[in-house]
Amino acid sequence: MDGQASEEDVRKSGYLRKQKSMHRRYFVLRAASERGPARLEYYESEKKFRGKAPVPKKAVALETCFNINKRADSKNKHMIVLYTRAESFAIAAENEADQDEWYQAMVELQCKRWCPRVSLLTGVCVCKHWILSCPPRSSSGPYHSALTLHIGFLEK
């Protein structure tokens, strides 16, 4: 597969930083196509992406994300975090404008499949038919929860 064919479904590409290592990597946001679902991929460099047979270092299918959020912490002011059942994957943009562009593009592609906007709760307690926000308890185990105006779900 040549570089031209691999770029047909590309919606956005450019350099961002991985939050954990702060390494600068070349990220590619792809729309759903016959080649696969909408996804965020990253490569070691743009040169590796444009090579004859590009293989991403990692790919996160947007359909597996139950939430995509903008976030800031003491080291990174312009982060985007993709939450899946298995992990949270955080990337950092250089500035707020880049953060907004990447975030909007990801949410738009995610919404083409389903579009509940969710609010993430970090710790929850389940009591009968109510989900209450509270500190996690060691006996309950880790849970991810998401709430929309119409649905709520809890995953272990």
Side-chain angles (χ1 to χ4, degrees):
M1 176 182 320
D2 63 13
Q4 185 81 13
S6 69
E7 293 186 42
E8 291 173 358
D9 55 358
V10 172
R11 291 297 174 260
K12 187 157 184 59
S13 62
Y15 282 95
L16 299 167
R17 294 189 183 277
K18 291 173 48 187
Q19 186 233 358
K20 287 185 181 176
S21 67
M22 289 308 293
H23 289 135
R24 189 171 178 255
R25 298 291 183 239
Y26 192 74
F27 282 81
V28 177
L29 182 61
R30 293 185 184 271
S33 69
E34 64 279 349
R35 298 181 57 231
R39 62 201 177 278
L40 179 67
E41 303 173 338
Y42 81 84
Y43 300 81
E44 204 165 311
S45 66
E46 183 176 5
K47 183 178 180 180
K48 298 266 185 181
F49 168 67
R50 301 211 184 275
K52 289 195 178 210
V55 177
K57 299 276 281 178
K58 181 177 183 122
V60 178
L62 298 181
E63 66 187 11
T64 66
C65 297
F66 63 83
N67 203 2
I68 301 173
N69 277 341
K70 291 193 278 186
R71 196 176 86 191
D73 66 16
S74 60
K75 291 182 182 179
N76 304 294
K77 303 281 186 243
H78 310 292
M79 290 192 326
I80 300 168
V81 185
L82 292 85
Y83 296 93
T84 69
R85 184 174 179 171
E87 67 176 334
S88 58
F89 182 67
I91 54 177
E94 291 293 320
N95 55 56
E96 188 175 358
D98 286 347
Q99 178 193 37
D100 287 340
E101 287 176 19
W102 280 94
Y103 174 76
Q104 290 300 329
M106 286 183 216
V107 169
E108 181 181 311
L109 289 176
Q110 183 191 34
C111 284
K112 289 191 175 182
R113 184 169 185 276
W114 66 292
C115 195
R117 295 308 315 141
V118 297
S119 299
L120 180 69
L121 302 176
T122 55
V124 296
C125 296
V126 179
C127 304
K128 297 188 181 178
H129 300 292
W130 295 93
I131 297 176
L132 307 169
S133 178
C134 65
R137 300 186 193 281
S138 60
S139 62
S140 62
Y143 287 89
H144 294 291
S145 63
L147 302 172
T148 70
L149 291 175
H150 304 289
I151 62 170
F153 63 89
L154 185 67
E155 291 184 331
K156 186 165 185 169

